[in-house]
Amino acid sequence: MSTIADNIELVSQRIRAAADAVQRDPNSIHLLAVSKTKPAQAVRDAYAAGLRDFGENYLQEALGKQAELTDLPLSWHFIGPIQSNKTRAIAENFAWVHSVDRLKIAQRLSEQRPADLPPLNICIQVNVSGEASKSGCTPADLPALANAISALPRLKLRGLMAIPEPTEDRAAQDAAFAAVRDLQNSLNPPLDTLSMGMSHDLESAIAQGATWVRIGTALFGARDYGQP
Ligand SMILES: *Cc1c(COP(=O)(O)O)cnc(C)c1O
């Protein structure tokens, strides 16, 4: 059985190869380890193998893991759908939020971000797959949302996040990620972050400009949603 350290090495090789293929600096691509459904010990193992950034989708699960890992200097990223009643705990316990798709949520995060913490890093989730996905703002709504979020005092708008419809077809992957990159390039002022690419499509995402790839399965193995 492969260990988390072995998997990190394999994923790092894939990132380097994907960057080399398009003459990008591999250091411009950051690895976000998606630890949802995995125990705190898996995070500890990944930390020991060099990872610092961890992504979680479910608030209660994340808070439980964070409480078990307070001895480690980890950077936590919230990447799941956000309900209004969860914004305070997210504002207090995360360094990044990748999944903001409406202004009301951003306003609450800004109001609730504690004064003693740095501004909360934000990515706007965009929906480039049309009806296939219900999360994410539409491309048409993006410019106004980006402007409004940029004006919020306790947030730092960093870029865009997308989860295109899963496909094994490389051309379709490339088209979806290129659409996200083009949206980012259309915004003013320019943003430095593109959060896109998961275990099955990180090569395409990197070819189209990803700066964060969010990897779960390829690092920690398949998820078992049967466990509580
Ligand atoms: C689960 C999840 C991932 C990781 O997906 P894998 O296919 O396991 O790499 C990335 N991003 C988001 C938003 C997720 O929910």
Side-chain angles (χ1 to χ4, degrees), residues 115-127:
D116 59 330
L117 294 179
L120 185 57
N121 293 296
I122 299 291
C123 294
I124 297 174
Q125 184 174 351
V126 286
N127 177 359

Side-chain angles (χ1 to χ4, degrees), residues 32 34 36 57-58 79-81 99 125 161-163 197-200 213-219 221 223 225:
L32 177 61
V34 177
K36 65 181 178 209
N57 294 54
Y58 310 106
I79 63 174
S99 46
Q125 184 174 351
M161 183 274 240
I163 313 172
M198 316 202 314
S199 293
H200 71 285
V213 289
R214 306 179 313 271
I215 309 298
T217 310
L219 292 175
R223 288 178 288 274
Y225 284 101

Side-chain angles (χ1 to χ4, degrees), residues 15-24 170 206-207:
I15 292 171
R16 279 197 298 276
D20 285 349
V22 292
Q23 280 95 47
R24 288 188 60 194
R170 175 64 191 254
I206 289 170

